[in-house]
Amino acid sequence: MKLSVLFSLVLVLTSPYTYAEPDCGDYLAAFNKKPDNLEFIGCEDFARGGQQHSEAKYRVSGTHAAAVEDYLVKVFNMRKLRFYCCGWEPEGGRTGGYSRMINKVDYIYAISMYSADTYAPGLEKKKNWQKIHFFHVRVTLYNPGTL
């Protein structure tokens, strides 16, 4: 009896579907990779179409957006921002990425930066970013059991 209980416990603890997922929170601060002037707003857990993920949200003023963009490009390999239609987003939609191994589980994070709708004339030029109130940064953690 004791052996079957022990065996069941080992199976549960070593199952590829048993994860000690990092708590939803300020992921960039947890990595010690948070750029200056980036403000943490909050974090939410989501479950859509069978895929679970958590999303940490940040913002930065237009005045400091270029420095944060440069940091995300350098550290997380995100593409430079480009103006499309109505706002700024990574060129070609290519977000940055980060991978972190915890207890032999590889957690994958996607990092993206964008502006909200930016319709005013001249805001499609990077030299005018200081006129944009906020840019937003999103760090998404995908649950490895649902990928």
Side-chain angles (χ1 to χ4, degrees):
M1 177 69 175
K2 288 181 183 180
L3 187 57
S4 66
V5 170
L6 178 63
F7 182 72
S8 297
L9 182 60
V10 168
L11 281 177
V12 168
L13 293 176
T14 60
S15 165
Y17 300 103
T18 302
Y19 302 104
E21 186 171 310
D23 290 333
C24 194
D26 187 346
Y27 294 132
L28 295 178
F31 307 154
N32 289 322
K33 295 183 182 292
K34 186 174 175 183
D36 292 337
N37 300 305
L38 188 63
E39 177 188 1
F40 175 66
I41 302 298
C43 192
E44 294 182 70
D45 292 313
F46 295 96
R48 291 185 192 137
Q51 188 179 66
Q52 296 175 350
H53 66 277
S54 300
E55 191 173 273
K57 297 176 183 179
Y58 303 81
R59 70 181 184 179
V60 61
S61 70
T63 305
H64 300 290
V68 169
E69 176 200 28
D70 288 344
Y71 183 88
L72 297 177
V73 167
K74 180 181 176 187
V75 174
F76 298 110
N77 202 29
M78 183 186 81
R79 286 266 175 98
K80 286 277 202 185
L81 299 186
R82 182 172 173 183
F83 190 83
Y84 291 98
C85 166
C86 317
W88 292 89
E89 61 184 67
E91 185 176 23
R94 183 161 168 233
T95 62
Y98 186 70
S99 178
R100 190 173 193 201
M101 191 69 82
I102 302 172
N103 297 325
K104 298 182 181 179
V105 176
D106 193 14
Y107 290 92
I108 299 167
Y109 298 82
I111 295 105
S112 185
M113 181 174 176
Y114 59 95
S115 70
D117 291 341
T118 311
Y119 294 114
L123 295 184
E124 75 283 355
K125 295 182 175 132
K126 193 170 184 174
K127 69 179 183 177
N128 293 326
W129 276 12
Q130 76 280 359
K131 295 178 183 176
I132 298 174
H133 293 288
F134 290 106
F135 281 75
H136 305 276
V137 173
R138 184 175 31 221
V139 178
T140 306
L141 165 63
Y142 294 98
N143 182 320
T146 62
L147 290 176

